[in-house]
Amino acid sequence: MLEFREIQLEDKDLIKSFYSKTNYYLCAYSFTTIYMWQKNYHTQIALSNGFLFSKSVDEEGNDIYCPPMGEGDYAKALYELAEYAKSHGQKLVFDSIPKDYVEKIEQAMPGYFEFIYDRDNADYIYTAESLMYLKGKKLHGKRNHINKFMSVYRNWAYEELDDNNVKEFFDYHVNWCENADSDEFMGETCALAIALKNCKALDIKGGILRVNGKIAAITMGSESFDDTFIVHTEKADTSIDGAYQMINQQFAQHNFKKYTYIDREEDLGIEGLRKAKESYHPAFLSETYYAVPKEAE
């Protein structure tokens, strides 16, 4: 029987050895992402017969799994996971399924699952060059916001996240969330606290935009793959026109030159967030699916 446990920092190289073979452009396969969010989603891992198993808990309190990653008898790995789920009185339900794994799971357990494209959890993937330089007609509006910002706020500065400003960075995030007057950011605040506490171990990079010495925007991310960087969070003062566009570009110009792609994660079906992410014209959206047993319908 599989034995699931919490993720430790010491698991970083182990987990990356399973995730680094193929870039699926999904933040669910980034060690930093799963580590910083594990408390919120109750994420745990298990190892068996050369496979890595991962499970989280959904809003209804049910276990939900990522497809096993590894090499060997894939059907055996799936049936082992199905037996674990059955022993806990639950159905075997998957999410964050890369497109390639839809066919792999179907071949291993023919006719067992219904696969559904999960648009709300598709990651937005941009070229690093597009975010650094904002070239072309499609991004003309972003350039206008930045030009207006620079003309109005002459006393602005960008700085990298470090030991000297990390507390101020976190405090800004907390204040931003309090002003938003919503409980939806509680999980993100916990995740951010974990990330910032382990900045060096997680290879976190962050940026701060200041206007007249005060923070106007923050952002933070990490490398997920040799050619891909993930932006985990971005917050800005909406009363300062161009603050979001400015922190986005400054962070890109200071940190993205070695990367081909930038993953700005999903929109979760939130209309305003979807509009903002689409406005930067992604190179493509990652394809992700979830799967439920057909007999559970």
Side-chain angles (χ1 to χ4, degrees):
M1 183 66 68
L2 293 172
E3 295 183 3
F4 282 89
R5 62 171 176 82
E6 290 187 355
I7 304 166
Q8 307 296 325
L9 276 175
E10 291 75 19
D11 294 319
K12 178 181 177 181
D13 290 341
L14 171 67
I15 291 176
K16 290 183 73 172
S17 71
F18 286 95
Y19 289 167
S20 63
K21 291 181 174 61
T22 303
N23 190 349
Y24 295 111
Y25 302 103
L26 290 169
C27 58
Y29 298 99
S30 152
F31 176 78
T32 297
T33 300
I34 62 173
Y35 184 80
M36 65 187 279
W37 281 95
Q38 69 170 315
K39 298 296 184 184
N40 189 67
Y41 294 116
H42 306 284
T43 308
Q44 294 185 321
I45 60 168
L47 297 164
S48 179
N49 297 316
F51 284 91
L52 172 69
F53 300 84
S54 172
K55 73 181 183 76
S56 301
V57 177
D58 66 18
E59 294 178 354
E60 286 74 40
N62 298 312
D63 287 339
I64 189 165
Y65 303 87
C66 281
M69 293 283 168
E71 298 178 358
D73 189 334
Y74 202 68
K76 182 178 179 180
L78 289 182
Y79 280 104
E80 186 175 14
L81 193 55
E83 185 63 27
Y84 174 89
K86 182 179 178 181
S87 72
H88 287 75
Q90 297 185 356
K91 300 291 185 180
L92 180 57
V93 177
F94 288 113
D95 74 349
S96 302
I97 306 173
K99 183 180 180 181
D100 292 354
Y101 272 74
V102 171
E103 183 178 354
K104 190 168 187 175
I105 294 171
E106 176 62 23
Q107 288 179 348
M109 299 181 74
Y112 187 83
F113 292 103
E114 177 187 5
F115 298 93
I116 301 99
Y117 175 54
D118 191 3
R119 171 64 179 83
D120 293 350
N121 285 297
D123 286 20
Y124 287 75
I125 312 300
Y126 307 82
T127 66
E129 183 178 15
S130 71
L131 297 185
M132 285 190 291
Y133 303 114
L134 301 173
K135 294 179 180 179
K137 292 182 179 179
K138 290 182 179 180
L139 296 173
H140 177 71
K142 304 298 182 185
R143 297 196 302 273
N144 283 346
H145 279 291
I146 288 174
N147 290 335
K148 183 176 180 180
F149 174 93
M150 296 181 73
S151 66
V152 173
Y153 303 103
R154 300 300 180 89
N155 189 20
W156 69 271
Y158 172 84
E159 62 192 56
E160 295 287 297
L161 176 68
D162 59 28
D163 292 341
N164 296 317
N165 57 30
V166 65
K167 183 180 184 303
E168 196 177 2
F169 183 105
F170 183 70
D171 289 345
Y172 179 85
H173 166 85
V174 171
N175 290 333
W176 189 98
C177 294
E178 288 177 348
N179 290 331
D181 193 26
S182 173
D183 293 335
E184 68 179 284
F185 298 105
M186 292 180 64
E188 184 182 3
T189 299
C190 177
L192 184 63
I194 292 171
L196 295 178
K197 182 180 178 181
N198 300 283
C199 262
K200 291 182 174 60
L202 296 174
D203 301 318
I204 294 290
K205 294 184 182 298
I208 292 175
L209 178 69
R210 295 184 186 273
V211 173
N212 297 322
K214 295 179 61 176
I215 295 182
I218 59 170
T219 189
M220 180 272 286
S222 65
E223 180 179 298
S224 64
F225 216 73
D226 289 345
D227 68 347
T228 307
F229 187 92
I230 295 181
V231 177
H232 298 298
T233 191
E234 184 181 86
K235 299 284 186 293
D237 185 343
T238 55
S239 69
I240 299 178
D241 188 8
Y244 268 109
Q245 292 80 9
M246 195 70 176
I247 189 66
N248 189 311
Q249 187 187 50
Q250 286 295 307
F251 191 51
Q253 291 182 349
H254 283 81
N255 294 283
F256 295 173
K257 292 179 181 178
K258 65 173 284 191
Y259 300 104
T260 304
Y261 294 109
I262 308 303
D263 182 342
R264 290 183 59 81
E265 300 187 339
E266 65 282 285
D267 61 38
L268 302 174
I270 300 171
E271 183 178 355
L273 193 56
R274 178 167 296 187
K275 183 177 179 180
K277 290 180 184 289
E278 288 179 340
S279 71
Y280 272 93
H281 299 282
F284 60 92
L285 298 182
S286 63
E287 287 195 47
T288 181
Y289 297 78
Y290 63 92
V292 296
K294 289 183 178 179
E295 68 268 24
E297 296 176 2

